[in-house]
Amino acid sequence: MTTHRKRPEDLRSHRWYGVSDLRSFGHRSRSAQLGYSRSDYLGKPVIAIINTWSDINPCHGHFRQRAEEVKRGIWEAGGFPVEMPAITLSEPFQKPTTMLYRNLLAMETEELLRSYPADGAVLMGGCDKTTPALLMGAISMNLPAVFMPAGPMLRGDWRGRQLGSGSDVWKYWAEKRAGKLTDEAWEEIENGIARSQGHCMTMGTASTMTSAAEALGMTLPGAASIPAADSRHARMASATGRRAVDMVWEDLKPRDILTAASFDNAITTVLALGGSTNALVHLIAVARRAGVPLTLERFDFLSRRTPLVANVRPAGKFLMEDFYYAGGLRALMATVSDLLALDVKTVEGRTLGEALAGAEVFNADVIVPRERALVSSGSLAVLRGNLAPDGGVIKPAAAEARLLRHRGPAVVFENYNDMAARIDDPALRVTAESVIVLKHAGPQGAPGMPEWGQLPIPKKLLEQGVRDMLRISDARMSGTAYGACVLHVAPESWVGGPLALVHDGDVISLDVDARSLQLDVDDAELARRRAAWRRPAPHFTRGFGALYQEHITQADQGCDFDFLEGTAETPDPEIH
Ligand code: FES
């Protein structure tokens, strides 16, 4: 373990509290007003607890209590806790999509840490976009920081059947529409699917990203899998607080931890988990904040060698609670440890290899041995071609095999409303061989790149028994979704990417083995269409939306704001 290097007068907060001038008088007198004596804070690391609790975020419903447990740990270790509320991003409630606000939380995190006397931070998040947002902000500020994951909720329960967030909603909604489920039964499901605090308990974006945070080394080892309702979660919260104090003395900062190798570890872990495609966008954004150049091709490369060994929905059968009892993320990472760089550092100050020592699988049906992998390799593929010059992504394992090499005529929808209005029209000219294309669903177009990418199968084809079709959009897709869906097409149609130029009847070719996505229209015709193309009017003329549309980058670059990327120095505030 690193020995203490900092002295109290080296602390960043010393400039607020420790000096003797007019301003520090104000800081100390106002601390007294808050009920604190000098001995409570003087010479101690100030740990900002960035808390994304809100009455509107059920995934973080336990965060008021957890913040108290984090504080207990900080006091115990000789620090001074300061809870700082930050905007929550509540996936079920926030419209049009939380993705519109990920960078806002990232900015708020960074600026809270910069403008107040923080020496270190505990980042409390878990619901989908909160994890990447908190990491992005903390990395840019680069103060010692630990991520405290919210933990998954308990398994859903209905009449003795286990229910999983997301996936079972679609399943039973279809049964209800088919007249096979009563209103009473539907209400029972409504009341049983989310029965404790914590984030979605399938391998959706939340479990994917908290696991990625752990694999990056940004949580205490084992933290990401603990169910929110488990008393071990409360104890992890206190331990996180204690560790944050020590990290300040050791001056262990995010950019000391995050290297190209730690991002490889995170990607490999996400692939072994069968995690959400959202991880591509988020990990690229997080990496760029850390100064690590990460490209889509890296995901494709690692996908070719990584087996999927977590038997967790939607790829598998079980839920996150089962995954925890089976050994959790440490056991999964131990299962693929030969594919991980074990010499990288974690927030503990030790190596990942040390963090994984002794990890064991307790249920080989949930975390399966390599020889029984759900998918041996290639669970994710990055596509290129004249339809996606800057990339698109598909989960081949989630698609019907016959569609992985496919040629068919496009059925084009100009935007979501157009699709909603016409997709079930009996007159729609569509067959099982058609390729459904949705435009204007990307970072700028929707706006916010919502999870629309699992485009619906037209009803008349459903009635014929068709369950999968090739679908292409510049949208994202929920981590709980599946199908032959090409996502994240870049550049997006709104900014004039080739997707904007597709017409009904154009032939599109997909070849996953060749990683190719082609629009079979000759160059002269495409040039003619491009000359006639007009950029749509902006969605926003003022407010955060205007800032967003001015600065948002494309999916292959992580959808960060261009002015927030990179590691250029931002000065600390002068204290006058
Ligand atoms: Fe919060 Fe799914 S709604 S993680």
Side-chain angles (χ1 to χ4, degrees), residues 382-408:
V382 172
L383 308 166
R384 300 257 177 191
N386 70 347
L387 192 49
D390 293 336
V393 62
I394 187 169
K395 269 179 146 177
E400 287 185 10
R402 67 184 173 86
L403 293 168
L404 299 180
R405 191 155 183 224
H406 182 79
R407 236 174 144 252

PDB file of all heavy atoms in Angstrom, residues 382-408:
ATOM      1  N   VAL A 382     -18.684  -4.667 -35.247  1.00  0.00           N
ATOM      2  CA  VAL A 382     -18.689  -3.284 -35.726  1.00  0.00           C
ATOM      3  C   VAL A 382     -18.657  -3.316 -37.252  1.00  0.00           C
ATOM      4  O   VAL A 382     -17.813  -3.981 -37.850  1.00  0.00           O
ATOM      5  CB  VAL A 382     -17.494  -2.503 -35.155  1.00  0.00           C
ATOM      6  CG1 VAL A 382     -17.393  -1.122 -35.797  1.00  0.00           C
ATOM      7  CG2 VAL A 382     -17.625  -2.381 -33.646  1.00  0.00           C
ATOM      8  N   LEU A 383     -19.603  -2.631 -37.863  1.00  0.00           N
ATOM      9  CA  LEU A 383     -19.767  -2.656 -39.319  1.00  0.00           C
ATOM     10  C   LEU A 383     -19.290  -1.343 -39.929  1.00  0.00           C
ATOM     11  O   LEU A 383     -19.405  -0.282 -39.308  1.00  0.00           O
ATOM     12  CB  LEU A 383     -21.252  -2.847 -39.658  1.00  0.00           C
ATOM     13  CG  LEU A 383     -21.940  -4.031 -38.965  1.00  0.00           C
ATOM     14  CD1 LEU A 383     -23.455  -3.902 -39.098  1.00  0.00           C
ATOM     15  CD2 LEU A 383     -21.454  -5.347 -39.564  1.00  0.00           C
ATOM     16  N   ARG A 384     -18.791  -1.450 -41.158  1.00  0.00           N
ATOM     17  CA  ARG A 384     -18.444  -0.252 -41.930  1.00  0.00           C
ATOM     18  C   ARG A 384     -18.961  -0.452 -43.348  1.00  0.00           C
ATOM     19  O   ARG A 384     -19.298  -1.555 -43.750  1.00  0.00           O
ATOM     20  CB  ARG A 384     -16.931  -0.039 -41.986  1.00  0.00           C
ATOM     21  CG  ARG A 384     -16.275   0.127 -40.644  1.00  0.00           C
ATOM     22  CD  ARG A 384     -15.946   1.559 -40.341  1.00  0.00           C
ATOM     23  NE  ARG A 384     -15.377   1.673 -38.998  1.00  0.00           N
ATOM     24  CZ  ARG A 384     -15.187   2.805 -38.375  1.00  0.00           C
ATOM     25  NH1 ARG A 384     -15.504   3.945 -38.955  1.00  0.00           N
ATOM     26  NH2 ARG A 384     -14.672   2.829 -37.168  1.00  0.00           N
ATOM     27  N   GLY A 385     -18.971   0.621 -44.113  1.00  0.00           N
ATOM     28  CA  GLY A 385     -19.418   0.540 -45.505  1.00  0.00           C
ATOM     29  C   GLY A 385     -19.962   1.892 -45.916  1.00  0.00           C
ATOM     30  O   GLY A 385     -19.966   2.836 -45.104  1.00  0.00           O
ATOM     31  N   ASN A 386     -20.456   1.970 -47.145  1.00  0.00           N
ATOM     32  CA  ASN A 386     -20.884   3.296 -47.607  1.00  0.00           C
ATOM     33  C   ASN A 386     -22.161   3.768 -46.908  1.00  0.00           C
ATOM     34  O   ASN A 386     -22.521   4.931 -46.993  1.00  0.00           O
ATOM     35  CB  ASN A 386     -21.039   3.336 -49.137  1.00  0.00           C
ATOM     36  CG  ASN A 386     -22.227   2.527 -49.616  1.00  0.00           C
ATOM     37  OD1 ASN A 386     -22.795   1.736 -48.858  1.00  0.00           O
ATOM     38  ND2 ASN A 386     -22.605   2.708 -50.879  1.00  0.00           N
ATOM     39  N   LEU A 387     -22.830   2.866 -46.172  1.00  0.00           N
ATOM     40  CA  LEU A 387     -23.997   3.297 -45.407  1.00  0.00           C
ATOM     41  C   LEU A 387     -23.612   3.735 -43.987  1.00  0.00           C
ATOM     42  O   LEU A 387     -24.376   4.431 -43.324  1.00  0.00           O
ATOM     43  CB  LEU A 387     -25.020   2.147 -45.345  1.00  0.00           C
ATOM     44  CG  LEU A 387     -26.414   2.470 -44.836  1.00  0.00           C
ATOM     45  CD1 LEU A 387     -26.997   3.700 -45.535  1.00  0.00           C
ATOM     46  CD2 LEU A 387     -27.346   1.290 -45.004  1.00  0.00           C
ATOM     47  N   ALA A 388     -22.443   3.321 -43.544  1.00  0.00           N
ATOM     48  CA  ALA A 388     -21.986   3.679 -42.197  1.00  0.00           C
ATOM     49  C   ALA A 388     -20.479   3.928 -42.230  1.00  0.00           C
ATOM     50  O   ALA A 388     -19.699   3.160 -41.670  1.00  0.00           O
ATOM     51  CB  ALA A 388     -22.313   2.554 -41.223  1.00  0.00           C
ATOM     52  N   PRO A 389     -20.060   5.025 -42.876  1.00  0.00           N
ATOM     53  CA  PRO A 389     -18.612   5.260 -43.012  1.00  0.00           C
ATOM     54  C   PRO A 389     -17.905   5.350 -41.660  1.00  0.00           C
ATOM     55  O   PRO A 389     -16.756   4.957 -41.536  1.00  0.00           O
ATOM     56  CB  PRO A 389     -18.529   6.604 -43.746  1.00  0.00           C
ATOM     57  CG  PRO A 389     -19.896   6.868 -44.291  1.00  0.00           C
ATOM     58  CD  PRO A 389     -20.873   6.059 -43.508  1.00  0.00           C
ATOM     59  N   ASP A 390     -18.611   5.850 -40.642  1.00  0.00           N
ATOM     60  CA  ASP A 390     -17.994   5.960 -39.316  1.00  0.00           C
ATOM     61  C   ASP A 390     -18.500   4.885 -38.360  1.00  0.00           C
ATOM     62  O   ASP A 390     -18.374   5.007 -37.149  1.00  0.00           O
ATOM     63  CB  ASP A 390     -18.239   7.356 -38.728  1.00  0.00           C
ATOM     64  CG  ASP A 390     -17.499   8.426 -39.518  1.00  0.00           C
ATOM     65  OD1 ASP A 390     -16.490   8.089 -40.171  1.00  0.00           O
ATOM     66  OD2 ASP A 390     -17.930   9.589 -39.505  1.00  0.00           O
ATOM     67  N   GLY A 391     -19.098   3.854 -38.915  1.00  0.00           N
ATOM     68  CA  GLY A 391     -19.419   2.687 -38.095  1.00  0.00           C
ATOM     69  C   GLY A 391     -20.879   2.525 -37.747  1.00  0.00           C
ATOM     70  O   GLY A 391     -21.669   3.468 -37.758  1.00  0.00           O
ATOM     71  N   GLY A 392     -21.209   1.271 -37.462  1.00  0.00           N
ATOM     72  CA  GLY A 392     -22.497   0.863 -36.915  1.00  0.00           C
ATOM     73  C   GLY A 392     -22.218  -0.402 -36.127  1.00  0.00           C
ATOM     74  O   GLY A 392     -21.131  -0.978 -36.227  1.00  0.00           O
ATOM     75  N   VAL A 393     -23.174  -0.830 -35.310  1.00  0.00           N
ATOM     76  CA  VAL A 393     -22.908  -1.983 -34.461  1.00  0.00           C
ATOM     77  C   VAL A 393     -24.090  -2.943 -34.495  1.00  0.00           C
ATOM     78  O   VAL A 393     -25.236  -2.508 -34.670  1.00  0.00           O
ATOM     79  CB  VAL A 393     -22.577  -1.519 -33.019  1.00  0.00           C
ATOM     80  CG1 VAL A 393     -23.744  -0.775 -32.400  1.00  0.00           C
ATOM     81  CG2 VAL A 393     -22.195  -2.675 -32.133  1.00  0.00           C
ATOM     82  N   ILE A 394     -23.808  -4.222 -34.367  1.00  0.00           N
ATOM     83  CA  ILE A 394     -24.856  -5.242 -34.304  1.00  0.00           C
ATOM     84  C   ILE A 394     -24.429  -6.304 -33.294  1.00  0.00           C
ATOM     85  O   ILE A 394     -23.232  -6.518 -33.083  1.00  0.00           O
ATOM     86  CB  ILE A 394     -25.113  -5.871 -35.703  1.00  0.00           C
ATOM     87  CG1 ILE A 394     -26.335  -6.803 -35.661  1.00  0.00           C
ATOM     88  CG2 ILE A 394     -23.898  -6.613 -36.220  1.00  0.00           C
ATOM     89  CD1 ILE A 394     -26.815  -7.251 -37.048  1.00  0.00           C
ATOM     90  N   LYS A 395     -25.430  -6.911 -32.642  1.00  0.00           N
ATOM     91  CA  LYS A 395     -25.172  -8.037 -31.739  1.00  0.00           C
ATOM     92  C   LYS A 395     -25.572  -9.296 -32.502  1.00  0.00           C
ATOM     93  O   LYS A 395     -26.745  -9.696 -32.477  1.00  0.00           O
ATOM     94  CB  LYS A 395     -26.071  -7.927 -30.506  1.00  0.00           C
ATOM     95  CG  LYS A 395     -25.489  -7.184 -29.334  1.00  0.00           C
ATOM     96  CD  LYS A 395     -26.522  -7.158 -28.215  1.00  0.00           C
ATOM     97  CE  LYS A 395     -25.879  -7.216 -26.860  1.00  0.00           C
ATOM     98  NZ  LYS A 395     -26.867  -7.108 -25.778  1.00  0.00           N
ATOM     99  N   PRO A 396     -24.638  -9.951 -33.186  1.00  0.00           N
ATOM    100  CA  PRO A 396     -25.008 -11.098 -34.027  1.00  0.00           C
ATOM    101  C   PRO A 396     -25.698 -12.202 -33.242  1.00  0.00           C
ATOM    102  O   PRO A 396     -26.606 -12.855 -33.749  1.00  0.00           O
ATOM    103  CB  PRO A 396     -23.666 -11.581 -34.585  1.00  0.00           C
ATOM    104  CG  PRO A 396     -22.762 -10.413 -34.478  1.00  0.00           C
ATOM    105  CD  PRO A 396     -23.201  -9.650 -33.280  1.00  0.00           C
ATOM    106  N   ALA A 397     -25.285 -12.399 -31.995  1.00  0.00           N
ATOM    107  CA  ALA A 397     -25.852 -13.508 -31.219  1.00  0.00           C
ATOM    108  C   ALA A 397     -27.326 -13.278 -30.908  1.00  0.00           C
ATOM    109  O   ALA A 397     -28.054 -14.220 -30.605  1.00  0.00           O
ATOM    110  CB  ALA A 397     -25.070 -13.669 -29.920  1.00  0.00           C
ATOM    111  N   ALA A 398     -27.766 -12.016 -30.984  1.00  0.00           N
ATOM    112  CA  ALA A 398     -29.155 -11.711 -30.661  1.00  0.00           C
ATOM    113  C   ALA A 398     -30.028 -11.727 -31.911  1.00  0.00           C
ATOM    114  O   ALA A 398     -31.214 -11.422 -31.849  1.00  0.00           O
ATOM    115  CB  ALA A 398     -29.234 -10.338 -29.986  1.00  0.00           C
ATOM    116  N   ALA A 399     -29.436 -12.076 -33.072  1.00  0.00           N
ATOM    117  CA  ALA A 399     -30.170 -12.027 -34.339  1.00  0.00           C
ATOM    118  C   ALA A 399     -30.357 -13.435 -34.897  1.00  0.00           C
ATOM    119  O   ALA A 399     -29.578 -14.349 -34.587  1.00  0.00           O
ATOM    120  CB  ALA A 399     -29.371 -11.192 -35.347  1.00  0.00           C
ATOM    121  N   GLU A 400     -31.381 -13.601 -35.739  1.00  0.00           N
ATOM    122  CA  GLU A 400     -31.542 -14.882 -36.444  1.00  0.00           C
ATOM    123  C   GLU A 400     -30.385 -15.038 -37.424  1.00  0.00           C
ATOM    124  O   GLU A 400     -30.066 -14.096 -38.180  1.00  0.00           O
ATOM    125  CB  GLU A 400     -32.890 -14.918 -37.170  1.00  0.00           C
ATOM    126  CG  GLU A 400     -34.049 -15.093 -36.195  1.00  0.00           C
ATOM    127  CD  GLU A 400     -35.397 -15.262 -36.888  1.00  0.00           C
ATOM    128  OE1 GLU A 400     -35.437 -15.440 -38.122  1.00  0.00           O
ATOM    129  OE2 GLU A 400     -36.416 -15.208 -36.169  1.00  0.00           O
ATOM    130  N   ALA A 401     -29.769 -16.224 -37.421  1.00  0.00           N
ATOM    131  CA  ALA A 401     -28.527 -16.436 -38.174  1.00  0.00           C
ATOM    132  C   ALA A 401     -28.697 -16.128 -39.662  1.00  0.00           C
ATOM    133  O   ALA A 401     -27.783 -15.622 -40.313  1.00  0.00           O
ATOM    134  CB  ALA A 401     -28.054 -17.873 -37.984  1.00  0.00           C
ATOM    135  N   ARG A 402     -29.896 -16.403 -40.234  1.00  0.00           N
ATOM    136  CA  ARG A 402     -30.105 -16.199 -41.668  1.00  0.00           C
ATOM    137  C   ARG A 402     -29.951 -14.714 -42.050  1.00  0.00           C
ATOM    138  O   ARG A 402     -29.719 -14.384 -43.225  1.00  0.00           O
ATOM    139  CB  ARG A 402     -31.506 -16.679 -42.075  1.00  0.00           C
ATOM    140  CG  ARG A 402     -32.611 -15.850 -41.489  1.00  0.00           C
ATOM    141  CD  ARG A 402     -34.019 -16.326 -41.784  1.00  0.00           C
ATOM    142  NE  ARG A 402     -34.956 -15.518 -41.022  1.00  0.00           N
ATOM    143  CZ  ARG A 402     -35.439 -14.359 -41.427  1.00  0.00           C
ATOM    144  NH1 ARG A 402     -35.103 -13.874 -42.606  1.00  0.00           N
ATOM    145  NH2 ARG A 402     -36.251 -13.673 -40.652  1.00  0.00           N
ATOM    146  N   LEU A 403     -30.059 -13.822 -41.058  1.00  0.00           N
ATOM    147  CA  LEU A 403     -30.008 -12.390 -41.373  1.00  0.00           C
ATOM    148  C   LEU A 403     -28.599 -11.813 -41.298  1.00  0.00           C
ATOM    149  O   LEU A 403     -28.385 -10.650 -41.630  1.00  0.00           O
ATOM    150  CB  LEU A 403     -30.928 -11.614 -40.422  1.00  0.00           C
ATOM    151  CG  LEU A 403     -32.425 -11.911 -40.615  1.00  0.00           C
ATOM    152  CD1 LEU A 403     -33.231 -11.348 -39.455  1.00  0.00           C
ATOM    153  CD2 LEU A 403     -32.924 -11.329 -41.947  1.00  0.00           C
ATOM    154  N   LEU A 404     -27.638 -12.624 -40.893  1.00  0.00           N
ATOM    155  CA  LEU A 404     -26.293 -12.086 -40.708  1.00  0.00           C
ATOM    156  C   LEU A 404     -25.588 -11.864 -42.045  1.00  0.00           C
ATOM    157  O   LEU A 404     -24.577 -11.175 -42.122  1.00  0.00           O
ATOM    158  CB  LEU A 404     -25.469 -13.010 -39.800  1.00  0.00           C
ATOM    159  CG  LEU A 404     -26.070 -13.170 -38.391  1.00  0.00           C
ATOM    160  CD1 LEU A 404     -25.217 -14.093 -37.534  1.00  0.00           C
ATOM    161  CD2 LEU A 404     -26.231 -11.811 -37.701  1.00  0.00           C
ATOM    162  N   ARG A 405     -26.134 -12.486 -43.085  1.00  0.00           N
ATOM    163  CA  ARG A 405     -25.692 -12.179 -44.456  1.00  0.00           C
ATOM    164  C   ARG A 405     -26.978 -12.013 -45.236  1.00  0.00           C
ATOM    165  O   ARG A 405     -27.689 -12.986 -45.510  1.00  0.00           O
ATOM    166  CB  ARG A 405     -24.851 -13.323 -44.988  1.00  0.00           C
ATOM    167  CG  ARG A 405     -24.170 -12.975 -46.244  1.00  0.00           C
ATOM    168  CD  ARG A 405     -22.916 -13.804 -46.436  1.00  0.00           C
ATOM    169  NE  ARG A 405     -22.256 -13.384 -47.644  1.00  0.00           N
ATOM    170  CZ  ARG A 405     -21.744 -14.203 -48.531  1.00  0.00           C
ATOM    171  NH1 ARG A 405     -21.775 -15.504 -48.333  1.00  0.00           N
ATOM    172  NH2 ARG A 405     -21.177 -13.728 -49.618  1.00  0.00           N
ATOM    173  N   HIS A 406     -27.292 -10.765 -45.558  1.00  0.00           N
ATOM    174  CA  HIS A 406     -28.633 -10.498 -46.073  1.00  0.00           C
ATOM    175  C   HIS A 406     -28.594  -9.338 -47.064  1.00  0.00           C
ATOM    176  O   HIS A 406     -27.838  -8.390 -46.905  1.00  0.00           O
ATOM    177  CB  HIS A 406     -29.551 -10.133 -44.891  1.00  0.00           C
ATOM    178  CG  HIS A 406     -30.977  -9.894 -45.296  1.00  0.00           C
ATOM    179  ND1 HIS A 406     -31.856 -10.921 -45.541  1.00  0.00           N
ATOM    180  CD2 HIS A 406     -31.671  -8.746 -45.518  1.00  0.00           C
ATOM    181  CE1 HIS A 406     -33.033 -10.416 -45.888  1.00  0.00           C
ATOM    182  NE2 HIS A 406     -32.943  -9.103 -45.887  1.00  0.00           N
ATOM    183  N   ARG A 407     -29.475  -9.455 -48.085  1.00  0.00           N
ATOM    184  CA  ARG A 407     -29.643  -8.398 -49.072  1.00  0.00           C
ATOM    185  C   ARG A 407     -31.127  -8.194 -49.229  1.00  0.00           C
ATOM    186  O   ARG A 407     -31.874  -9.158 -49.418  1.00  0.00           O
ATOM    187  CB  ARG A 407     -29.079  -8.883 -50.417  1.00  0.00           C
ATOM    188  CG  ARG A 407     -28.052  -7.997 -50.970  1.00  0.00           C
ATOM    189  CD  ARG A 407     -27.411  -8.555 -52.214  1.00  0.00           C
ATOM    190  NE  ARG A 407     -27.147  -7.417 -53.072  1.00  0.00           N
ATOM    191  CZ  ARG A 407     -27.792  -7.126 -54.170  1.00  0.00           C
ATOM    192  NH1 ARG A 407     -28.737  -7.914 -54.607  1.00  0.00           N
ATOM    193  NH2 ARG A 407     -27.495  -6.029 -54.865  1.00  0.00           N
ATOM    194  N   GLY A 408     -31.573  -6.946 -49.117  1.00  0.00           N
ATOM    195  CA  GLY A 408     -33.012  -6.741 -49.260  1.00  0.00           C
ATOM    196  C   GLY A 408     -33.337  -5.287 -49.532  1.00  0.00           C
ATOM    197  O   GLY A 408     -32.494  -4.399 -49.335  1.00  0.00           O
TER     198      GLY A 408
END
